[in-house]
Amino acid sequence: MRRMIDLTAVCVVLAVATSAYAQQCTCGTAKVQNGWCADCKVGYVDAVKMKSRALFDALAGTEVKAEEIKCASCKKAHASDGYCPDCRVGFVGKKKYGSHVAYVLAKGERKDPAAITCDGCKKNAADHGWCDSCKVGMVGNVAFKDKKTYDEAVEARRTLTAAAESKCETCAVAMVTDGECKECKVAYKDGKKTKTDKP
Ligand SMILES: [Zn+2]
Ligand SMILES: [Zn+2]
Ligand SMILES: [Zn+2]
Ligand SMILES: [Zn+2]
């Protein structure tokens, strides 16, 4: 009897060890926490699915310390969750975002749609919408209490969705960073195409 129990224990340990090495789909948590699923090779930002790792990385925030910042306006932004238009970087919770889209979306609070109790908010989380009874706007799974930031986030998510659907990876990154794509000869501002003045 004793021996059987030991064997069962060994089997359990082996099963746990094997599953830790095998790659598993993490889309469920990635969708809620802005993660990357190595198994499916897709990332999620505000529940928007993207196949481009470059786009996903362009949207990620990096931790920065105040003393590492040289620009005065960035220093102020770092202390107040603000945006520096000169450097085109935003800060939320001491994290630096090189994308205005990612910066705006980071200002909200990420929610697990399954845990939302209000029916109106739950419906809004499927796309976007403002709930008058909760005074909360949902943009994907991100909640905003401030109406103005919510409106900005709706625009940001629209840009994000367009970028995720873009066939050109460089354009996708350019869309969320107000950059340009030399290949396609286009520049982007707030997710919209602008003409490049360079030939
Ligand atoms: Zn997956
Ligand atoms: Zn700056
Ligand atoms: Zn609600
Ligand atoms: Zn392009």
Side-chain angles (χ1 to χ4, degrees), residues 168 170-171 181 183-184 186 188:
C168 170
T170 316
C171 279
C181 173
E183 197 76 22
C184 306
V186 283
Y188 296 90

Side-chain angles (χ1 to χ4, degrees), residues 69-75 77 83-89 91:
I69 301 166
K70 289 189 177 73
C71 163
S73 152
C74 278
K75 255 192 208 314
Y83 190 79
C84 173
D86 297 336
C87 307
R88 292 193 295 199
V89 292
F91 299 86

Side-chain angles (χ1 to χ4, degrees), residues 27 35 37 56-57 97 116 152 179 194 199:
C27 282
C37 172
F56 181 77
D57 287 343
Y97 294 88
I116 298 172
E152 280 178 28
T194 56

Side-chain angles (χ1 to χ4, degrees), residues 24-178:
Q24 287 196 337
C25 174
T26 54
C27 282
T29 43
K31 219 176 265 183
V32 178
Q33 294 171 349
N34 288 359
W36 181 266
C37 172
D39 189 37
C40 305
K41 293 188 179 58
V42 290
Y44 299 86
V45 174
D46 191 10
V48 174
K49 189 174 170 178
M50 56 197 71
K51 290 197 187 93
S52 161
R53 180 77 212 203
L55 175 61
F56 181 77
D57 287 343
L59 295 158
T62 46
E63 206 103 18
V64 278
K65 292 192 183 76
E67 54 268 32
E68 291 167 19
I69 301 166
K70 289 189 177 73
C71 163
S73 152
C74 278
K75 255 192 208 314
K76 232 175 95 190
H78 183 262
S80 61
D81 285 357
Y83 190 79
C84 173
D86 297 336
C87 307
R88 292 193 295 199
V89 292
F91 299 86
V92 181
K94 311 298 174 218
K95 272 190 177 169
K96 179 179 156 183
Y97 294 88
S99 154
H100 190 261
V101 167
Y103 159 71
V104 171
L105 293 172
K107 287 212 270 188
E109 194 192 328
R110 286 200 296 270
K111 301 257 191 211
D112 182 353
I116 298 172
T117 47
C118 166
D119 282 340
C121 288
K122 210 187 253 291
K123 201 172 135 250
N124 291 342
D127 186 11
H128 69 265
W130 181 266
C131 175
D132 270 325
S133 44
C134 301
K135 302 256 178 306
V136 165
M138 292 300 300
V139 182
N141 69 315
V142 184
F144 294 87
K145 291 193 178 87
D146 177 71
K147 186 74 169 56
K148 194 176 156 275
T149 319
Y150 161 76
D151 287 336
E152 280 178 28
V154 172
E155 273 307 308
R157 195 172 199 258
R158 198 166 290 154
T159 303
L160 179 62
T161 310
E165 286 166 0
S166 169
K167 292 201 171 54
C168 170
E169 201 171 32
T170 316
C171 279
V173 173
M175 273 183 211
V176 298
T177 55
D178 287 349

